[in-house]
Amino acid sequence: MDALLEPLLPRPGKTVGRGGRSEKWPRRLVLDAIFYLVRGGIAWMQLPHDFPPAKTVYDIYRWWAKVGAWQRIHDMLRDRFRVCAGRNPQPSAAVIDSQTVRGADTVAAGTAGYDAAKKTKAASAISPPIPPGCCWRSW
């Protein structure tokens, strides 16, 4: 998996000025910590001591999010998943179902509708199609 994700992550250290010191924690360990958090649904501060400090992992996560690394990883995994399922890498359609999502009072009136049956201001949910029989394999 390192060969898949490494090119999608930003280069280590500072890229402006005279540079900076090298990274203290291996990227593989930081990725494992982030995947552990996502998989377990736990709080950052509950990260086990086998991983780098929670603040370090959080700061690296935020940095990668800021430079778009997570979007690139998502797009690459989505494309690979679709190719494995025998489909075009880029989705061509979305499924609109009848589920409604309750809109907050701060939602602009032009973006939300009124569901008369439920007597609520709501927006319709849109979800991408998932081919039958496809599922993610754990890395």
Side-chain angles (χ1 to χ4, degrees), residues 59-104:
D59 289 343
I60 293 172
Y61 170 82
R62 291 283 312 233
W63 172 42
W64 290 351
K66 184 178 180 181
V67 297
W70 293 115
Q71 185 64 46
R72 288 190 299 273
I73 290 170
H74 172 268
D75 293 345
M76 183 271 302
L77 290 174
R78 181 201 59 224
D79 293 350
R80 289 179 63 90
F81 176 72
R82 291 181 59 84
V83 168
C84 287
R87 304 185 71 168
N88 186 338
Q90 295 299 317
S92 60
V95 175
I96 300 174
D97 66 11
S98 61
Q99 176 186 5
T100 54
V101 180
R102 185 176 175 130

Side-chain angles (χ1 to χ4, degrees), residues 25-54:
W25 298 97
R27 288 179 161 213
R28 178 74 244 178
L29 194 57
V30 173
L31 278 169
D32 286 345
I34 292 169
F35 294 151
Y36 182 87
L37 287 163
V38 170
R39 199 174 314 119
I42 64 171
W44 288 98
M45 299 313 286
Q46 293 177 329
L47 192 63
H49 295 288
D50 300 343
F51 295 114

Side-chain angles (χ1 to χ4, degrees), residues 9-15 23 27 63-64:
L9 298 174
R11 291 179 40 201
K14 287 186 172 182
T15 57
E23 294 178 338
R27 288 179 161 213
W63 172 42
W64 290 351

